[in-house]
Amino acid sequence: MKELEDIVSAYDIALQQGKQTALATVVQVEGSSYRRAGARMLVTEDGQLTGAISGGCLEGDALRKARLVMAQQQPMLVTYDTTDDDDAKLGVGLGCNGIIHILIEPVYDTKEHNPISLFKRFLAKRRQVVIVTLFSLADRKLSQPGTILFLSNDEVIYNGNDATLSVSLQNDAKEVIKAGKSLTKSYLNEEGTEYTAFIEILKPAVSLLVFGAGNDALPLVEMAAVLGWHVTIVDGRANYAVASRFPRARRMLCAKATEALSLINIDAFTVAVLMTHNYNYDLAMLRQLLPLQLAYVGSLGPKKKLQRMLNELLDDGLDITADQLKSIYGPTGLDIGAQTPDEIALSILSEIQAVLQQRKGTSLRDKTTVINSPEMAALPVNQENL
């Protein structure tokens, strides 16, 4: 979510400076590409770019297209076919072998529900939402609707004027929230014109709870912040739990182990690492975290320390299920030969990322399939509108 946060921040600055802006969104990818559907870039009239839609090879051409969009005040669908030798001649040279469709739309500050305002609504709360971007692959000369729908479990915003299409999009958006995966689907509007919708699920940033404010937590917090994760530091020692030591942490709590969780909002996107170097504090936190069954709870230190804590909890009568044990990782981190605090931090964050993405953390060289397995199902035209 860091990319969206950066885009929102850049837009606010551009607005203060009176600059026009346009938003470029990768809406569909066929084959291989550097970025997947959902990658975004904000462009200002003077050429400032925030975010990315490729590895740097499409940005220059997209800037020129974005300036045209700002001048004409009309969205534009742009396609880069890297399977075509002509693209290489034009200097695109992606080094990939796919077709990338990018929708570029002007951002109107006068429009109440422009794309940036919808991003702000998403970032304001820790909840899953769906944003739908509508475009026409069948006829690029048609008006490209762009960002047309925002949906969460408690809010719906529709920017179009086709009631039938609105119902179909909302129904599919609700299914996307349930499934937790984005999809691409084609629809027919009331006039029988075919449009394609990128129905994208947006999830809150990872909330990382770091129990322990020692020096080895410093690089962990710094690296997590670079990823855009929201970090909360918890420690029972007042001389360690000092905000100035961790300027990139979202919260700093000095609390006893028995009080800490009552001060924290925990959701489905929360993970934790125990690194207080205080056995009793870690033990007390593990006792409380186990029943919550977070996606990831890491325990710094040797495996025998974790096993000792688990045995002690079992002896105290705590019922530990197999599913709860699956969420505990100790020693925390991937086996990358980490020795220094910085390397250990990299190891821990890499393991958390792998777990959250349900990956093994193996070398990409050894993969026998594409790097980015397709999340979006390409579905046929919605027959309800025929």
Side-chain angles (χ1 to χ4, degrees):
M1 287 305 103
K2 186 176 184 298
E3 188 168 70
L4 282 186
E5 292 175 345
D6 291 343
I7 284 173
V8 167
S9 177
Y11 172 77
D12 286 340
I13 293 172
L15 187 62
Q16 293 171 5
Q17 296 173 345
K19 297 177 184 177
Q20 285 187 299
T21 59
L23 181 70
T25 305
V26 177
V27 290
Q28 187 166 314
V29 172
E30 303 166 40
S32 175
S33 73
Y34 185 81
R35 297 293 306 270
R36 292 188 293 179
R40 291 182 171 86
M41 180 175 73
L42 186 76
V43 183
T44 64
E45 60 182 285
D46 59 349
Q48 294 182 18
L49 308 177
T50 304
I53 53 173
S54 75
C57 32
L58 292 183
E59 277 69 6
D61 188 70
L63 169 59
R64 291 188 288 272
K65 299 291 196 307
R67 282 174 167 158
L68 181 60
V69 163
M70 284 183 264
Q72 296 179 343
Q73 292 293 289
Q74 291 292 331
M76 175 190 300
L77 185 68
V78 182
T79 296
Y80 298 96
D81 185 353
T82 62
T83 65
D84 187 343
D85 288 339
D86 286 342
D87 265 355
K89 293 175 184 176
L90 290 171
V92 173
L94 285 178
C96 299
N97 188 30
I99 302 173
I100 302 97
H101 303 282
I102 297 172
L103 184 75
I104 306 175
E105 52 189 318
V107 182
Y108 306 99
D109 178 52
T110 55
K111 186 176 181 180
E112 181 183 4
H113 298 308
N114 66 54
I116 305 301
S117 73
L118 298 182
F119 297 158
K120 288 181 178 180
R121 296 181 91 89
F122 162 62
L123 294 170
K125 297 181 182 180
R126 288 189 61 80
R127 55 177 175 169
Q128 294 187 104
V129 308
V130 167
I131 287 184
V132 177
T133 307
L134 196 67
F135 53 99
S136 175
L137 283 174
D139 188 351
R140 298 170 193 279
K141 295 180 181 179
L142 288 176
S143 173
Q144 303 289 343
T147 307
I148 197 170
L149 176 69
F150 174 99
L151 182 141
S152 68
N153 288 330
D154 58 359
E155 187 176 17
V156 177
I157 297 172
Y158 178 61
N159 285 328
N161 50 21
D162 187 322
T164 304
L165 185 58
S166 172
V167 172
S168 297
L169 289 173
Q170 288 186 46
N171 288 338
D172 289 332
K174 291 174 184 176
E175 291 302 316
V176 164
I177 282 189
K178 289 180 183 178
K181 290 186 177 181
S182 304
L183 64 82
T184 300
K185 186 172 180 178
S186 295
Y187 300 83
L188 295 178
N189 67 4
E190 292 175 343
E191 287 75 37
T193 304
E194 182 177 343
Y195 282 94
T196 302
F198 173 43
I199 308 174
E200 178 188 13
I201 187 163
L202 298 179
K203 301 178 182 180
V206 175
S207 174
L208 173 62
L209 308 181
V210 179
F211 294 94
N215 289 342
D216 55 351
L218 293 170
L220 184 69
V221 174
E222 287 293 314
M223 293 183 190
V226 169
L227 295 173
W229 295 6
H230 297 178
V231 184
T232 297
I233 304 287
V234 184
D235 201 299
R237 300 165 293 182
N239 58 324
Y240 278 75
V242 179
S244 59
R245 296 185 68 234
F246 298 91
R248 303 196 68 175
R250 291 290 180 114
R251 293 186 69 193
M252 170 65 69
L253 298 175
C254 181
K256 296 179 180 178
T258 53
E259 301 170 348
L261 291 189
S262 66
L263 304 173
I264 302 170
N265 292 322
I266 293 178
D267 56 30
F269 307 96
T270 301
V271 296
V273 178
L274 304 174
M275 51 190 307
T276 66
H277 300 281
N278 181 311
Y279 178 85
N280 290 327
Y281 199 105
D282 282 357
L283 176 65
M285 292 314 311
L286 185 60
R287 182 191 302 273
Q288 299 170 75
L289 290 170
L290 270 169
L292 300 179
Q293 205 165 320
L294 304 182
Y296 183 98
V297 176
S299 173
L300 186 70
K303 183 175 291 186
K304 63 182 181 181
K305 172 198 169 185
L306 174 60
Q307 192 57 57
R308 178 187 168 191
M309 289 194 293
L310 292 172
N311 290 339
E312 192 166 334
L313 293 175
L314 287 170
D315 291 343
D316 287 346
L318 185 66
D319 183 20
I320 303 176
T321 68
D323 285 340
Q324 289 172 351
L325 282 176
K326 288 180 182 178
S327 68
I328 308 301
Y329 292 79
T332 181
L334 293 182
D335 182 8
I336 60 172
Q339 297 293 328
T340 67
D342 302 73
E343 293 168 349
I344 292 170
L346 176 62
S347 167
I348 293 171
L349 295 177
S350 298
E351 183 176 52
I352 295 174
Q353 174 70 9
V355 169
L356 293 179
Q357 296 299 322
Q358 299 180 353
R359 298 296 180 96
K360 296 294 185 180
T362 53
S363 296
L364 292 174
R365 182 193 64 179
D366 299 329
K367 285 185 69 70
T368 57
T369 57
V370 296
I371 294 175
N372 291 321
S373 55
E375 288 184 355
M376 284 69 68
L379 300 181
V381 175
N382 191 331
Q383 299 297 311
E384 296 175 3
N385 295 340
L386 290 173

